[in-house]
Amino acid sequence: MPAIVNVKTNARTEMVDITSMVQIEVAKSGVTGGICVVFVPHTTAAVTINEGADPDVCRDIIAKLNQMVPPHEGYRHSEGNSDSHIKASLVGSSVSVLVEGGRLVLGTWQKIFFCEFDGPRSRKVYVKA
Ligand code: ZN
């Protein structure tokens, strides 16, 4: 079974830095080298890697996604959250990160972000190194 990282989101659309939580699961796995897969088992949430230094980067990503995929566009899906499903597919449900010496190998400015598109909710992320 993969490790599970629990994420509590606080807004309908939000990016949450989960890098340290993923790193903890890699350390607990005892894996020192290979690949860590981070997978989101939800249809209205996603995961991506991007800049974590300037929070305006995430704000800009969210603003552009909301502009590109408005909440009400005559969608057919009766649940009323088609924009959330579309954003989840655009961003994607998994990322892979190399592991060396028990550490995630990320670029200087890179962080792993859980992307909430239909929150607030209690979510989970699968991590397997
Ligand atoms: Zn739906």
Side-chain angles (χ1 to χ4, degrees), residues 66-89:
N66 285 336
Q67 184 188 63
M68 288 164 50
V69 189
H72 305 292
E73 279 269 287
Y75 305 117
R76 298 177 62 125
H77 177 47
S78 62
E79 205 184 12
N81 62 350
S82 276
D83 63 313
S84 314
H85 291 289
I86 292 165
K87 289 168 193 162
S89 275

Side-chain angles (χ1 to χ4, degrees), residues 1 7 10 14-15 18 29 38 42-44 63 67-68 70 76-77 88 96-99 101 105 107-108 110 112 119:
M1 272 301 290
V7 182
N10 299 300
E14 183 181 11
M15 292 173 72
I18 60 168
S29 76
V38 181
H42 302 287
T43 60
T44 55
Q67 184 188 63
M68 288 164 50
R76 298 177 62 125
H77 177 47
S96 300
V97 183
L98 296 178
V99 176
V105 181
T108 305
Q110 286 184 318
I112 304 168

Side-chain angles (χ1 to χ4, degrees), residues 106-124:
L106 291 165
T108 305
W109 307 110
Q110 286 184 318
K111 298 289 184 188
I112 304 168
F113 289 96
F114 177 85
C115 302
E116 175 63 80
F117 295 124
D118 197 20
R121 292 194 197 208
S122 293
R123 301 290 206 170
K124 56 191 176 188

Side-chain angles (χ1 to χ4, degrees), residues 18-73:
I18 60 168
T19 311
S20 60
M21 291 186 277
V22 174
Q23 178 59 60
I24 286 167
E25 295 306 327
V26 171
K28 286 202 296 199
S29 76
V31 169
T32 55
I35 297 169
C36 174
V37 175
V38 181
F39 179 82
V40 171
H42 302 287
T43 60
T44 55
V47 63
T48 192
I49 295 175
N50 215 301
E51 177 174 330
D54 179 1
D56 278 340
V57 173
C58 285
R59 291 191 193 108
D60 286 345
I61 290 171
I62 289 168
K64 181 52 73 174
L65 282 171
N66 285 336
Q67 184 188 63
M68 288 164 50
V69 189
H72 305 292
E73 279 269 287

